[in-house]
């Protein structure tokens, strides 16, 4: 392949990436998309907090804890308060009909969800090493399944037609 063809392909790929990024930014500002993100977040945060409370409960009266149980309890000690704060924040986001763009909130989301996953993995590991490894592997696979499905649904060839075009401001 000659250099000109390669340059043309690279420019076409960069233009396509810029188009997708622009469409993604348009989608992020769509109130309906933001409301759906808030609903999904409520489901995720509530489910993880409830799972954490159920999983940690037996360890309240057990002493001493093995390593897996200790990791489970500490992970949920991190995630449960963060998940509760994120649930309350989601109520405010729903009221304002927009999602927060705070970097601190993004860090809290990652920490809450990540530590809940670690806590659940450790809980399964405490019960059975095979169960812990299985949960870890299938959990990682499930993230891939969700990502692939989400990407296919949201970023297919008809993506642009789902959103009204913004009119440029009048001068």
């Amino acid at each position: 392949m000659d250099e000109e063809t390669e340059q043309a392909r690279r420019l076409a790929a960069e233009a396509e990436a810029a188009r997708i990024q622009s469409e993604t930014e348009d989608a992020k500002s769509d109130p309906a998309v933001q409301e759906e993100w808030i609903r999904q977040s409520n489901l995720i945060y509530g489910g993880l907090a409830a799972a954490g409370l159920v999983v940690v409960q037996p360890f309240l009266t057990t002493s001493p804890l093995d390593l897996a149980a200790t990791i489970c309890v500490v992970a949920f000690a991190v995630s449960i308060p963060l998940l509760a704060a994120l649930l309350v924040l989601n109520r405010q986001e729903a009221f304002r009909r927009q999602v927060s763009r705070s970097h601190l909130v993004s860090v809290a989301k990652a920490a809450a969800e990540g530590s809940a996953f670690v806590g659940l993995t450790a809980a399964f590991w405490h019960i059975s090493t095979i169960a812990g490894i299985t949960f870890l592997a299938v959990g990682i696979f499930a993230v891939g399944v969700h990502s692939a499905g989400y990407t296919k649904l949201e970023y297919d060839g008809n993506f642009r037609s789902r959103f009204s075009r913004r009119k440029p401001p009048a001068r």
Side-chain angles (χ1 to χ4, degrees), residues 117-130:
F117 182 72
V118 167
L120 287 170
T121 302
F124 279 107
W125 204 291
H126 171 75
I127 297 166
S128 160
T129 304
I130 293 171

Side-chain angles (χ1 to χ4, degrees), residues 45-170:
Y45 303 151
L48 289 175
L53 290 170
V54 168
V55 167
V56 170
Q57 191 174 14
F59 298 128
L60 295 175
T61 58
T62 304
S63 182
L65 299 176
D66 67 1
L67 181 60
T70 302
I71 291 170
C72 172
V73 170
V74 171
F76 280 117
V78 171
S79 71
I80 291 171
L82 289 174
L83 292 166
L86 291 168
L87 279 167
V88 173
L89 174 61
N90 273 5
R91 295 293 300 156
Q92 186 66 23
E93 289 175 331
F95 174 72
R96 293 291 177 199
R97 293 189 172 104
Q98 66 180 10
V99 295
S100 172
R101 302 221 190 283
S102 166
H103 292 294
L104 183 60
V105 171
S106 296
V107 169
K109 288 177 180 182
E113 292 173 15
S115 60
F117 182 72
V118 167
L120 287 170
T121 302
F124 279 107
W125 204 291
H126 171 75
I127 297 166
S128 160
T129 304
I130 293 171
I133 293 169
T134 302
F135 181 81
L136 179 63
V138 175
I140 292 168
F141 178 70
V143 169
V145 168
H146 176 267
S147 296
Y150 180 87
T151 301
K152 187 69 175 167
L153 285 170
E154 297 298 332
Y155 300 107
D156 64 2
N158 299 322
F159 183 74
R160 178 66 122 176
S161 65
R162 295 182 191 163
F163 303 97
S164 59
R165 290 190 179 250
R166 291 187 181 157
K167 296 179 183 175

Side-chain angles (χ1 to χ4, degrees), residues 15-31:
E16 179 68 7
R19 182 188 65 77
I20 291 171
Q21 183 176 6
S22 172
E23 291 174 359
T24 302
E25 291 303 318
D26 286 349
K28 285 181 182 178
S29 64
D30 184 320

